[in-house]
Structures are given as structure tokens and as C-alpha cells.
Amino acid sequence: KKRQPKSPININEKDYDIIDEKYVKISMWNKRYINTFTIWLFKLIGNNPHYGIEAIKDVVQKYDLGGSHRINGAVVFWQRDYNNQIRTGKIMLYNQQTGKRIKDENRPNMINWVHYYLKKEHRLKADFKLKQCFYGEHLLKKYPNAIVAVFESEKTAIVASIIFPDLVCIASGGLGGLNLQKCKVLAHRHVIFFPDLGCYQQWKAKVEGISKHIFFASYSINDVLEDNATEEERAGGLDLCDYIIKSLTNNN
């Protein structure tokens, strides 16, 4: 853990557009919250005596785990910012048995986005200005004194939030999603960064660079996976979620 000199941070700069809250509500209507991702969650955690179905219900509400009517069965990971405004939503389809992502055959190697579809349908202005935030960022304001855990994927943040309820679990949305702009909301917080296997050095360099501009009350880059992974696990680029799944499957 390290400390740095204090520096002022303005997280209220409004150089972006937002999406109407009604689209979040629409994603929850007609039981769309029962999608391939939440079905997999229930199979993994809902039947576990330590957690149960209530844990799934709580996380669905906590993270607005709605469904998409554009891609049947897909979950929408809404990016709700520190001020509770919707920046966009990431639409992803999962295998409800394995929890693995199913990629869109029509848009290979690309993520589907709510703002993309709303612009296409002329429900957003053509020059809609997107500025992404951390997934789960709204929870920082709700739990101001909790330790923050930063993961790469939304899936890992959600699963980790169930297993470690005392942490505020958020996600950068990918390896390249960790940047100075997003991290402004982490000023004055105790933060643990959890890079995926093989990404430790990249995240370490990024975080140390960011720490020169933002005052963290304390921060660390977790290296437990990096120090203990097998070569096979390292080649597979496993993250903390994979280890949690393995432990739950083995009732450990």
C-alpha cells in the first residue's frame, strides 16, 4: 500500500451525454432480469447454502441487471456513474450453463452497446457524446467508507460482490478500460486492483502512473493470482472469478 500527496479532483465535469433512466426500467420489465447471465448466476450461487436466491435478487437490484429486447437472453450491464446517471449499457450474451460469453456472430470481436442501438433508432442525438465510467461506480457514493475492489470484467465484479459483500466491487470493462479519467472517482478511497492473469505488470504501471495525479487513501495491486497460478492457468488468462467458480463448484 502506498500514499501520495493530496491533490484536488473534480468528478463533476459535464462533457458527456446521458441516457434516460426509463431504458433501465424497460430492461427490467417482463422479467427480462431473468436472462442467460442471471440464470447462470442462480445455478452457481442461488443453490449454494451460504448464499441462496436472496443473494441473486440483491445483486440484480444493486447492479440493475436488466435484459435486452434486441438480443434475446442477453444481459445489459448498465454504466451508472457516481451521480447515478446512465452513461450507456453493455449488452452481452452468456451461455447459461457455463457462464462463458457468447460472441455476436454479426459483430465479431465487438461488444453491443445500448447507445449504439438508440442512436440507430434515432432515440439519441447523432452527436451523442459518450464518456464511459466504471461499472458499479454508483455504489461508491452509496458506500463511502468501504474498500473498493477494481476488476477488469463486469462478470467478475458481480460475482465478487456476492462473495465479498463488505467490498464495493466495480469493473473497468477490460484491460484498456483503466485510465486516469475513470479513476478520479477513487480519490481518497482505499482501493485494491485485481488484474487478470498476465496483466499484472500492465496494471501496475498504469496504477502507479495514475497515483501521481490522484490521491488514494491507500492502494495495492493484488498479485496473489500472479504468484500462484499454474502455467496452464496463466495461458488461459484466468481471473479471480474463475477461481471463485472453481471453489463454489467444489463446495469449497
Side-chain angles (χ1 to χ4, degrees):
K1 293 184 177 180
K2 302 179 181 180
R3 298 180 68 87
Q4 320 86 38
K6 187 174 180 179
S7 60
I9 295 295
N10 178 15
I11 64 171
N12 295 312
E13 300 168 353
K14 191 63 185 295
D15 55 347
Y16 56 86
D17 292 315
I18 60 173
I19 291 175
D20 196 304
E21 182 75 28
K22 71 181 180 182
Y23 294 110
V24 178
K25 294 178 181 177
I26 290 171
S27 77
M28 305 294 283
W29 288 348
N30 297 324
K31 296 187 176 180
R32 286 202 188 104
Y33 55 84
I34 302 175
N35 50 64
T36 54
F37 180 75
T38 54
I39 290 171
W40 168 75
L41 262 186
F42 175 77
K43 290 178 179 178
L44 176 70
I45 292 171
N47 291 318
N48 188 295
H50 295 292
Y51 305 102
I53 192 171
E54 290 304 317
I56 307 302
K57 289 180 178 178
D58 288 345
V59 83
V60 165
Q61 295 301 319
K62 191 175 180 180
Y63 287 93
D64 301 302
L65 290 178
S68 171
H69 67 278
R70 296 175 179 86
I71 301 175
N72 189 37
V75 64
V76 182
F77 293 129
W78 292 103
Q79 285 187 14
R80 189 183 288 278
D81 67 21
Y82 188 84
N83 294 315
N84 219 37
Q85 298 175 320
I86 304 299
R87 302 289 185 90
T88 188
K90 184 187 286 189
I91 304 171
M92 300 181 76
L93 187 63
Y94 287 84
N95 182 307
Q96 65 186 46
Q97 301 297 330
T98 65
K100 298 292 185 182
R101 179 185 160 203
I102 299 173
K103 296 185 178 180
D104 185 351
E105 294 179 358
N106 298 317
R107 305 183 71 202
N109 301 318
M110 292 184 70
I111 301 295
N112 290 290
W113 296 96
V114 170
H115 71 273
Y116 167 82
Y117 285 110
L118 292 179
K119 283 174 66 176
K120 195 174 180 180
E121 296 164 1
H122 305 293
R123 299 187 186 190
L124 287 179
K125 59 184 183 179
D127 61 347
F128 176 85
K129 187 170 183 181
L130 172 67
K131 179 175 282 186
Q132 293 192 52
C133 63
F134 280 115
Y135 177 69
E137 185 175 295
H138 61 292
L139 300 173
L140 296 170
K141 198 169 190 176
K142 189 173 182 180
Y143 305 102
N145 299 314
I147 294 172
V148 183
V150 182
F151 302 94
E152 283 191 37
S153 80
E154 295 86 354
K155 170 184 169 182
T156 304
I158 289 165
V159 173
S161 74
I162 297 172
I163 308 302
F164 309 113
D166 292 335
L167 300 178
V168 168
C169 297
I170 63 177
S172 65
L175 176 62
L178 186 67
N179 57 51
L180 175 61
Q181 179 62 41
K182 280 185 183 175
C183 286
K184 288 181 179 181
V185 293
L186 301 179
H188 315 297
R189 300 294 294 254
H190 296 279
V191 188
I192 308 172
F193 294 90
F194 288 88
D196 291 355
L197 270 175
C199 302
Y200 176 82
Q201 291 299 333
Q202 287 172 274
W203 267 38
K204 184 174 184 289
K206 277 193 173 188
V207 172
E208 289 180 349
I210 290 167
S211 72
K212 295 176 182 177
H213 303 278
I214 294 175
F215 171 76
F216 297 115
S218 69
Y219 76 88
S220 63
I221 302 97
N222 189 279
D223 59 3
V224 172
L225 297 186
E226 206 68 30
D227 288 348
N228 294 282
T230 64
E231 287 305 314
E232 183 181 359
E233 291 170 338
R234 201 177 301 280
L238 270 64
D239 63 11
L240 184 65
C241 189
D242 295 303
Y243 287 91
I244 292 174
I245 292 169
K246 188 183 295 186
S247 294
L248 289 172
T249 303
N250 296 331
N251 293 316
N252 184 354

